[in-house]
């Protein structure tokens, strides 16, 4: 990630332009919440205008398959201030089909889930996107997240200029790299995780666009089939209204004054 990015992009001839490609992404896997990502042509400096963040994920209820478990044991380990080297994000203790699961029962465990879901946003495969959505979602919300994931892939294909169905011709590609987070506790074992990511989209014509993306997800510690883990949840209007009314951190480049003001905590090892 480069520092000092701006919304004015330099094209290959060196002439600055303000035309940006606005890509709607349903965040978190191949997308789970409706947000917007601004991408600029390669040769960047970046978009400091931030993402349009309208959280779509929230939950104040659980059911038989996903029920609250040992919520009083969720440890608070996330630092209040950003360490010089950033925060080390924990990993899952197990895997399912190569995707990490069983994250720590800590507030940073919720961040870890958001990071893994974001990293799984790649390519243009509908089934892969839906699979990841179903894996990490509260079972009660599985169908909703799977549909959002498929919708996101369809939009991504459109933006990359590739067919809506079938094989995707090279060099088209899409990738997300998480670089920072913020964390808000909404209730015991229930968090809003905001993730700042670096996004790169390569079209079928070989045009490369990149920029910053800020997305919000809601995570709840749940027991599913007897196993406790962090899960993406979709829920109440009240939670969504709270997040919208309080405002969520904007997508700004590390090193910009607004970056610290937004409260972003850098992730250890991520490009800054």
């Amino acid at each position: 990630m480069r520092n000092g990015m701006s919304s004015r992009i330099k094209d290959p001839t060196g002439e600055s332009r303000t035309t940006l490609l606005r890509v709607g992404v349903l965040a978190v896997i191949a997308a789970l919440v409706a947000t917007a990502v601004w991408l600029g042509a390669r040769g960047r400096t970046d978009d400091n205008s931030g993402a349009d963040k309208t959280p779509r994920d929230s939950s104040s209820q659980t059911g038989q398959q996903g029920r609250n478990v040992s919520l009083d044991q969720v440890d608070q380990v996330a630092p209040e201030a950003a360490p010089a080297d950033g925060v080390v994000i924990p990993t899952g203790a197990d895997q399912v089909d190569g995707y990490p699961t069983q994250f720590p029962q800590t507030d940073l465990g919720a961040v870890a889930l958001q990071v893994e879901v974001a990293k799984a946003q790649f390519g243009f495969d509908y089934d892969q996107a839906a699979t990841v959505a179903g894996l990490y979602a509260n079972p009660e919300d599985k169908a909703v997240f799977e549909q959002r994931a498929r919708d996101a892939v369809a939009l991504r294909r459109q933006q990359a200029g590739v067919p809506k169905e079938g094989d995707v011709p090279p060099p088209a590609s899409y990738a997300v790299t998480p670089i920072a987070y913020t964390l808000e506790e909404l209730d015991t074992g229930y968090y809003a995780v905001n993730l700042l990511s670096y996004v790169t989209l390569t079209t079928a014509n070989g045009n490369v666009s990149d920029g910053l993306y800020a997305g919000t997800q809601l995570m709840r510690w749940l027991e599913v089939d007897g196993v406790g883990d962090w899960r993406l949840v979709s829920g109440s209007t009240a939670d969504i209204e709270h997040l919208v009314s309080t405002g969520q951190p904007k997508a700004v480049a590390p090193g910009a004054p607004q970056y610290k003001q937004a409260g972003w905590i850098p992730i250890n090892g991520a490009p800054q």
Side-chain angles (χ1 to χ4, degrees):
M1 180 65 62
R2 311 292 203 276
N3 289 336
M5 295 180 174
S6 73
S7 60
R8 295 188 64 82
I9 308 301
K10 298 287 186 178
D11 67 15
T13 66
E15 296 178 357
S16 67
R17 61 189 179 87
T18 57
T19 303
L20 297 176
L21 175 61
R22 192 178 191 217
V23 178
V25 190
L26 302 179
V28 228
I29 72 182
L32 299 179
V33 353
T35 63
V37 178
W38 292 91
L39 300 179
R42 179 79 75 182
R44 71 182 175 256
T45 47
D46 177 8
D47 164 37
N48 283 343
S49 63
D52 173 20
K53 301 173 56 171
T54 306
R56 293 284 181 86
D57 292 298
S58 170
S59 176
S60 59
Q61 301 178 1
T62 56
Q64 288 185 332
Q65 284 188 296
R67 63 184 186 276
N68 294 352
V69 55
S70 304
L71 296 183
D72 58 335
Q73 297 178 16
V74 173
D75 295 329
Q76 314 294 311
V77 299
E80 294 185 3
D85 296 332
V87 172
V88 176
I89 304 300
T91 58
D94 200 357
Q95 287 191 351
V96 174
D97 296 330
Y99 297 104
T101 59
Q102 294 188 25
F103 299 99
Q105 194 170 345
T106 67
D107 49 5
L108 280 182
V111 177
L113 172 57
Q114 170 75 317
V115 167
E116 292 300 334
V117 171
K119 287 162 59 177
Q121 296 183 60
F122 65 87
F124 305 92
D125 189 312
Y126 291 99
D127 291 338
Q128 183 269 346
T131 295
V132 178
L135 172 64
Y136 289 127
N138 175 13
E140 295 180 354
D141 303 321
K142 181 178 177 180
V144 173
F145 285 137
E146 287 179 342
Q147 185 57 53
R148 290 180 183 176
R150 292 181 181 279
D151 290 343
V153 172
L155 179 59
R156 188 181 305 162
R157 281 173 171 257
Q158 178 185 354
Q159 296 291 350
V162 301
K164 185 176 181 179
E165 302 285 348
D167 295 337
V168 174
S173 64
Y174 177 88
V176 176
T177 302
I179 62 173
Y181 75 90
T182 69
L183 185 67
E184 179 183 354
E185 183 179 22
L186 302 177
D187 198 353
T188 304
Y190 182 34
Y191 290 88
V193 180
N194 305 291
L195 199 63
L196 179 65
S197 299
Y198 175 57
V199 181
T200 299
L201 172 71
T202 303
T203 70
N205 295 327
N207 296 322
V208 181
S209 297
D210 50 20
L212 292 170
Y213 160 71
T216 303
Q217 271 292 359
L218 298 187
M219 314 291 182
R220 189 182 285 275
W221 180 265
L222 300 173
E223 181 183 285
V224 178
D225 296 331
V227 178
D229 205 350
W230 290 100
R231 294 280 178 153
L232 303 166
V233 292
S234 174
S236 77
T237 300
D239 293 328
I240 296 171
E241 290 178 345
H242 163 73
L243 294 173
V244 172
S245 65
T246 57
Q248 302 303 294
K250 300 296 184 182
V252 292
Q258 299 91 336
Y259 180 84
K260 276 191 174 182
Q261 294 171 9
W264 288 115
I265 304 292
I267 294 173
N268 179 272
Q272 299 292 319

